[in-house]
Amino acid sequence: LVRSRAQEAWDALLGRVNVEGASHDQRVTLYSNLYRLFLYPNIAHENVGSAASPDWRHADQNSWSKESAGGDAERTSASVKPGRIYVNNGFWDTFRTTWPAYALFAPERAGEMIDGFLQQYRDGGWVARWSSPGYADLMVGTSSDVAFADAWLKGVEGFDAHQAYEAALRNATVVPPVSNVGRKGLARSMYRGYADSDVHEGLSWTLEGALNDFGLAQMAGGLAAREKDPARARRYAEEAEYFQARATDYVHLFDPATRFFRGRAPDGRWHSPASAFDPRVWGGDYTEANAWTFAFTTPHDAAGLAGLLGGEAALAQRLDEFFATPETAEKKFAGSYGNTIHEMTEARDVRMGMYAHSNQPSHHIPWMYVAAGQPWKTQRITRDILARLYLGSEIGQGYPGDEDNGEMSAWYLFGMLGLYPLRMGAPEYVIGSPAFPYAEVDLGGGRTLTVIARNNDARNVYVQSLKVNGKPWTRAWIR
């Protein structure tokens, strides 16, 4: 009975996507990715009542004691609280594709999951930046900010938007009391525009902060437009303007001499002299990456990055250079890591220049050609990624690197459709090259997304023209 119910549940979910023109291996890859996407996050609540009269309870994920940490402990110090909670999600990895994939493929579940993470805010005052299952001091950025804003702006319901905004506002403006919540370096970065090198990976905190501030700005603007109380509407509008300005803070870390984003010391000087800078070196200011990977971490404001580089053509040229510069994973480039780490060798094995599809910070980069006015390069590169880096349907095959909480899977699903949420926090997708001649997604509520790509094959990957709902469409993005 349990097995048959599980089969029915998965069939209903996987059955929302149908493709034609795919090989057996491609179909295994597609549905395996859809399956992997929904393995996380995890439910950590249970019904202690009855089916007719449910009483949802959960253990407080923020409670911990040395006494309860032993393997033979029968009890923990966790208090049992009312409500439904979701856990186990690394938002730094998943905000890029996983959460927008929930919003597209299962919007009704996305709202429930967001509310489950807001339970952390209701219990402990913060949404975990990395829930495993409680507050973990991992990675950079409070990326639930932009993930939840993006979902709301795309019409996802089932959670309190005002509460989601308040949780994000706390991340963005309140100096955290402990290191495992909130944004690091905030006490000074709020006023000077960047986290300096006294903050571990301060450059990465700054660039990720700008991304999340963009999401806050967009959500505040949306709340202002819907707010009936004039005073609250004015407050949201003012905060939208404030966070829109903060979303450009990345400019403080752009070094004109090297034309890369670089860390600054507390006194404002560059973390290292330009003569000693090598963008191939990993670590230091850059989380699990090097300066090349972080050279494009402004997907919310590609026009601003183009302006820093000298225009759209200059941005496209920089992208060309990125894909033409080989990652060698040599120890001499290990930087602060000391030795070659697995992210380096995986990036090398992708064999697409400095592009490390094996790790999440690079996932948006092929799509940046759209913003640079050369969408045909996005089409060529993304089809190459789909064909080469998700190859095989046997155990041990299928992913080129970290498949953290469904992020790698969600990238495939978007790439397969020829769509990508480049500007997280904006209700739009940039357009790539669909992998199959026909794909259909049941969006729920009687809505269907159908992608028809005529004359599509492994060699014919370039989009010549596009129609949306039967009418010609000339932009490289859609709402």
Side-chain angles (χ1 to χ4, degrees):
L1 177 62
V2 172
R3 179 175 179 174
S4 64
R5 286 170 57 194
Q7 183 75 52
E8 290 173 3
W10 278 112
D11 285 348
L13 191 60
L14 302 184
R16 294 186 178 190
V17 179
N18 179 48
V19 300
E20 296 178 7
S23 68
H24 173 75
D25 267 7
Q26 288 172 327
R27 292 178 67 84
V28 170
T29 298
L30 165 62
Y31 290 109
S32 296
N33 281 322
L34 196 57
Y35 168 76
R36 288 278 311 187
L37 172 65
F38 285 101
L39 287 181
Y40 293 96
N42 302 135
I43 291 170
H45 54 265
E46 60 182 300
N47 181 10
V48 300
S50 64
S53 182
D55 181 10
W56 298 104
R57 301 294 177 104
H58 67 276
D60 182 1
Q61 300 299 317
N62 314 311
S63 301
W64 183 86
S65 71
K66 291 182 180 179
E67 290 74 23
S68 67
D72 58 348
E74 295 183 359
R75 289 181 174 271
T76 73
S77 58
S79 58
V80 176
K81 295 187 175 183
R84 299 193 289 184
I85 194 168
Y86 277 78
V87 298
N88 294 342
N89 204 260
F91 286 101
W92 181 75
D93 289 316
T94 60
F95 85 89
R96 307 164 201 276
T97 65
T98 304
W99 281 98
Y102 295 147
L104 180 66
F105 293 101
E108 76 290 348
R109 300 186 70 169
E112 178 184 319
M113 291 188 290
I114 290 171
D115 185 68
F117 280 102
L118 290 177
Q119 186 65 50
Q120 294 182 341
Y121 175 68
R122 294 189 286 267
D123 288 347
W126 304 82
V127 174
R129 64 174 182 266
W130 190 289
S131 168
S132 56
Y135 299 138
D137 188 5
L138 293 172
M139 311 315 293
V140 298
T142 52
S143 303
S144 61
D145 303 348
V146 70
F148 297 171
D150 183 79
W152 182 71
L153 289 160
K154 288 174 179 169
V156 171
E157 300 176 344
F159 66 99
D160 185 334
H162 294 88
Q163 189 174 78
Y165 178 78
E166 294 298 327
L169 189 66
R170 176 169 293 183
N171 280 332
T173 60
V174 176
V175 177
V178 290
S179 64
N180 58 348
V181 296
R183 300 188 191 181
K184 294 187 178 180
L186 195 62
R188 287 190 289 187
S189 65
M190 270 196 295
Y191 304 102
R192 71 193 316 183
Y194 61 90
D196 61 50
S197 57
D198 271 2
V199 178
H200 180 58
E201 298 172 342
L203 176 139
S204 299
W205 276 102
T206 301
L207 298 188
E208 300 287 351
L211 283 168
N212 284 289
D213 287 341
F214 174 76
L216 268 165
Q218 297 295 103
M219 191 170 190
L223 289 169
R226 302 185 190 193
E227 181 58 57
K228 296 180 179 179
D229 178 74
R232 291 188 68 180
R234 185 169 61 251
R235 173 207 151 184
Y236 284 132
E238 290 173 349
E239 288 173 354
E241 185 177 355
Y242 168 67
F243 285 112
Q244 191 65 46
R246 271 184 37 171
T248 63
D249 276 350
Y250 64 85
V251 301
H252 299 296
L253 296 184
F254 182 79
D255 175 16
T258 61
R259 302 177 78 242
F260 282 94
F261 291 113
R262 301 179 59 210
R264 287 185 181 270
D267 63 4
R269 291 182 296 178
W270 297 112
H271 193 192
S272 61
S275 59
F277 172 73
D278 189 329
R280 297 171 294 177
V281 174
W282 282 61
D285 296 319
Y286 311 99
T287 304
E288 290 186 2
N290 58 21
W292 268 119
T293 295
F294 276 87
F296 307 98
T297 308
T298 63
H300 64 291
D301 188 19
L305 176 60
L308 292 174
L309 293 169
E312 282 190 359
L315 174 57
Q317 185 177 7
R318 172 52 63 95
L319 287 163
D320 290 344
E321 189 180 358
F322 170 82
F323 283 103
T325 303
E327 171 60 68
T328 61
E330 295 173 78
K331 184 177 180 180
K332 65 181 179 180
F333 298 128
S336 63
Y337 291 111
N339 287 293
T340 300
I341 60 176
H342 72 87
E343 287 87 355
M344 296 175 66
T345 55
E346 289 161 355
R348 176 199 63 200
D349 294 345
V350 167
R351 298 183 182 179
M352 298 185 73
M354 279 288 160
Y355 179 60
H357 190 75
S358 50
N359 207 14
Q360 288 75 11
S362 65
H363 276 182
H364 68 285
I365 297 177
W367 305 88
M368 290 287 281
Y369 276 113
V370 175
Q374 298 184 8
W376 58 90
K377 291 181 180 177
T378 286
Q379 295 160 20
R380 172 177 57 82
I381 292 170
T382 56
R383 285 291 291 272
D384 189 31
I385 293 168
L386 291 168
R388 289 200 302 109
L389 303 186
Y390 292 84
L391 191 63
S393 58
E394 301 299 323
I395 292 176
Q397 297 176 320
Y399 298 112
D402 290 347
E403 159 58 351
D404 287 327
N405 298 146
E407 162 73 15
M408 200 76 71
S409 294
W411 195 101
Y412 178 93
L413 295 169
F414 279 117
M416 175 270 298
L417 291 173
L419 302 171
Y420 193 79
L422 179 63
R423 284 208 313 162
M424 277 296 292
E428 67 192 34
Y429 302 100
V430 294
I431 296 167
S433 174
F436 306 117
Y438 181 92
E440 184 178 273
V441 180
D442 179 0
L443 302 176
R447 299 174 305 136
T448 303
L449 168 66
T450 305
V451 180
I452 301 171
R454 294 184 174 88
N455 303 316
N456 180 4
D457 59 42
R459 298 182 65 182
N460 194 25
V461 303
Y462 297 105
V463 178
Q464 303 300 316
S465 62
L466 175 66
K467 289 182 179 180
V468 177
N469 293 332
K471 297 179 180 180
W473 188 265
T474 58
R475 299 182 180 94
W477 55 272
I478 60 172
R479 296 282 290 181

